[in-house]
Amino acid sequence: MRTRVVLDAPSNLGLRPPAPGTVPGCYKLAGALRERRIVQRLGASEGGVVVPPRYDRGDWQEGDGVFNAAALARYTRTLADRIEGHVRADEFPVVLGGDCSIQLGATLALRRIGRYGLAAIDGSADFRHLGNSDRIGAAGGEELAISTGRGQADLADLEGLGPYLRDEDVRLFGMRDDDEDRAEMAALKISNATVGEIREWGPDVLARAAAQSLETPALDGFWVHLDADVLDPSVMPAVDSPDDGGLFPDELAALLGPLVGSPRCVGLNVTIYDPDLDPDGTAGTLLTDLVVGAFTAA
């Protein structure tokens, strides 16, 4: 069994402020899961922390592109350095975010090594780009578009390696059934399963089929991205954009286990949970239990 390594990536650079003069609290995710002894429960080694730049949008205005772009580019390279080292050492990094823009560190790292896929378990596709929106700005809602080459070059083509992911190497799970991105996903032939489809086919069946489709000679492996907002707000209210109609814990457990249990899965990141929105800690305990349980099931 590969050594699991827990690495903190407490960046909130990719989210809009929850209120004027405040910063998103998801940078506390890693600390909250560590308080619940995730390192010990995973039997993992200590990977330390990749400290992010300060959150400061300066004089950014709508229309200026992605805010914090220069800081995000620096952080993505630094995080990629750490993730690349663990993957090359045949270790399994469990990266605790942070917002969804930390996925760029993983996809850049893996692009340096070879050709890898992505299994993204997320309440939305995070596929906003200039081709479908005039509100570009928050990389946390745009990281899949950036990773597939549909973003500004200073983020989407770092080191001349863009796109970091090919459309056909992406598997999406957990979009709400009425998600506006579904039509574009279908047109691009990006594989996706909404919450309703996951329930119709069964999360375990879909996860095993997706893992098998990513276990091909064309790919060197795949990464798993987990956004806490895939869960229904009744059990996970502590996210920046809670949307009704999400998965329930047993469904997410059945989906996550076969993916991280695949011998071709090379790492996992966990994002978006905001301890500031979880005063009694219930949601943080649930998220920790689900991550730990996925490896136990594997």
Side-chain angles (χ1 to χ4, degrees):
M1 185 180 70
R2 287 169 292 170
T3 300
R4 298 170 195 150
V5 181
V6 173
L7 174 65
D8 294 5
S11 171
N12 57 6
L13 295 170
L15 291 185
R16 296 177 187 272
T22 65
V23 299
C26 64
Y27 72 94
K28 300 177 183 179
L29 180 157
L33 269 59
R34 283 177 174 272
E35 283 185 347
R36 291 160 175 81
R37 303 184 71 253
I38 191 169
V39 179
Q40 296 85 349
R41 292 172 65 188
L42 287 174
S45 297
E46 177 57 67
V49 58
V50 181
V51 179
R54 183 167 66 96
Y55 185 96
D56 182 5
R57 299 201 305 170
D59 57 0
W60 179 89
Q61 298 179 14
E62 295 285 351
D64 288 347
V66 176
F67 56 75
N68 293 325
L72 276 163
R74 292 196 306 273
Y75 191 68
T76 295
R77 290 190 186 96
T78 303
L79 181 57
D81 290 344
R82 296 281 286 277
I83 293 173
E84 179 185 0
H86 291 304
V87 174
R88 287 190 183 276
D90 199 30
E91 297 171 333
F92 191 107
V94 178
V95 183
L96 306 179
D99 71 70
C100 291
S101 67
I102 68 165
Q103 182 219 295
L104 295 173
T107 52
L108 175 61
L110 298 177
R111 179 66 181 86
R112 290 171 177 173
I113 300 170
R115 178 179 170 186
Y116 286 79
L118 176 72
I121 306 173
D122 198 321
S124 60
D126 290 349
F127 205 68
R128 186 173 57 240
H129 57 87
L130 285 174
N132 62 24
S133 177
D134 59 0
R135 292 201 73 234
I136 300 303
E142 300 160 15
E143 87 282 348
L144 183 58
I146 293 170
S147 289
T148 54
R150 297 172 175 88
Q152 58 196 56
D154 57 350
L155 291 173
D157 194 28
L158 292 170
E159 303 171 10
L161 292 175
Y164 316 131
L165 294 168
R166 302 187 190 190
D167 293 351
E168 63 266 30
D169 297 339
V170 176
R171 308 288 183 270
L172 296 175
F173 301 92
M175 286 192 300
R176 303 318 194 237
D177 294 330
D178 59 354
D179 194 297
E180 295 179 353
D181 287 328
R182 291 202 67 199
E184 187 173 11
M185 297 294 104
L188 295 171
K189 295 183 171 57
I190 295 178
S191 174
N192 64 92
T194 66
V195 170
E197 290 166 339
I198 291 169
R199 287 177 178 152
E200 178 182 356
W201 292 97
D204 181 82
V205 170
L206 284 178
R208 292 185 186 281
Q212 184 175 13
S213 75
L214 293 169
E215 294 168 354
T216 67
L219 293 175
D220 296 296
F222 67 93
W223 185 269
V224 175
H225 165 75
L226 173 60
D227 182 334
D229 72 11
V230 75
L231 288 164
D232 192 81
S234 64
V235 294
M236 178 54 68
V239 296
D240 64 307
S241 298
D243 289 322
D244 291 336
L247 294 176
F248 291 107
D250 60 333
E251 296 169 324
L252 176 54
L255 191 63
L256 189 57
L259 292 171
V260 301
S262 166
R264 301 293 294 282
C265 180
V266 299
L268 163 74
N269 64 250
V270 185
T271 63
I272 291 299
Y273 164 66
D274 185 342
D276 288 346
L277 305 176
D278 186 27
D280 67 0
T282 304
T285 297
L286 171 63
L287 184 60
T288 307
D289 289 347
L290 284 167
V291 172
V292 173
F295 288 94
T296 302

